[in-house]
Amino acid sequence: MNGERQVSVPRIALALSLTAAFGCSAHVPLPLAPPPAAPLAERVQYYNQYRPQATAGMARFTFGTFGGYSALQTSVDHVVLANGTVVSDPEDLLQTVGPDSPLVGSVRRASNAQAVASGLTWGGVAASVVGSILMLTSISSASYDGFGTPFWAGFGIALGGSIATGVGRWALGPSAAAAREAVYVGLDGAIRAHMSLCGTGDALRECNSAAPVATPPPPPVAPSQDSPWASPPPLPAAGATVSIHAR
């Protein structure tokens, strides 16, 4: 009975740790963006609802001695759309930019970087939990006779898990956050490019129907060098007397 409990407890802890780590991410279903051939009013309405409006994130602090603290890491975790929708997974934004958008590559890179960072972080947490339980069960066992193989195996698993958590959170986490932020920064232009919308604000229009450009007036003609005046003198008014004096 004791041996069965020692095996089942780590398995339960591992299952709970993995469930807590990977079961909390939720996707946001966004509607497909209308194609460039859709009516202009439909595209403008979609843009005004699903354009990015703000980004937000979190700062992680470490508390030091004497009550002081210092910020170690900040990250942009999600983007807020104009209709209030909060998107935390960059892959959800693919619905708004289309499969041929240059932003797709940035989304894939951000997702891969986040998957590696999260896998190391939460996998390390799970390993630390399992290793700690192995150490405790080996000590509290009825047949305890010192620090044997189960204890040191648990110690090694816990230590490796702690290292993996640090690497995932502090080494790979910032690069994943930077890749995610790059997606959010380029989202507005990618949405407009996909729907062929140009202009800003209330002046959105078709990109292939540019506003007419005013034709500049022709430049003035410079007078000829052999002419004593720039234009002929005005003719005398009717009834006026013209006197000509010759020398």
Side-chain angles (χ1 to χ4, degrees), residues 2 9 13 24 33 43 45-47 69 74 103 122-123 129 151 161 165 180 217-218:
N2 291 336
V9 171
C24 298
R43 286 175 283 149
Q45 181 181 10
Y46 183 93
Y47 172 78
Y69 64 88
T74 59
L103 196 69
W122 296 111
V129 172
F151 176 86
T165 299
R180 189 167 56 248

Side-chain angles (χ1 to χ4, degrees), residues 2 6-7 16 62 67 76 90 92 102 112 156 163 182 187 194 202 223:
N2 291 336
Q6 291 178 11
V7 174
L16 292 176
T62 178
V76 175
D92 295 337
N112 292 338
I163 294 174
L187 179 60
H194 174 60
D202 297 332

Side-chain angles (χ1 to χ4, degrees), residues 52 55-56 76-79 87-90 93 103 179-188:
T55 57
V76 175
D77 297 320
H78 56 268
V79 60
V87 180
S88 300
D89 193 333
L93 301 172
L103 196 69
R180 189 167 56 248
E181 184 176 4
V183 172
Y184 300 153
V185 170
L187 179 60
D188 185 87

Side-chain angles (χ1 to χ4, degrees), residues 27-93:
H27 287 275
V28 177
L30 298 177
L32 284 171
L40 178 61
E42 179 182 348
R43 286 175 283 149
V44 170
Q45 181 181 10
Y46 183 93
Y47 172 78
N48 287 334
Q49 287 186 358
Y50 297 102
R51 63 181 176 84
Q53 191 168 29
T55 57
M58 65 188 329
R60 297 183 179 94
F61 298 92
T62 178
F63 289 91
T65 56
F66 308 108
Y69 64 88
S70 59
L72 284 184
Q73 188 183 53
T74 59
S75 63
V76 175
D77 297 320
H78 56 268
V79 60
V80 182
L81 305 183
N83 63 357
T85 302
V86 178
V87 180
S88 300
D89 193 333
E91 288 195 354
D92 295 337
L93 301 172

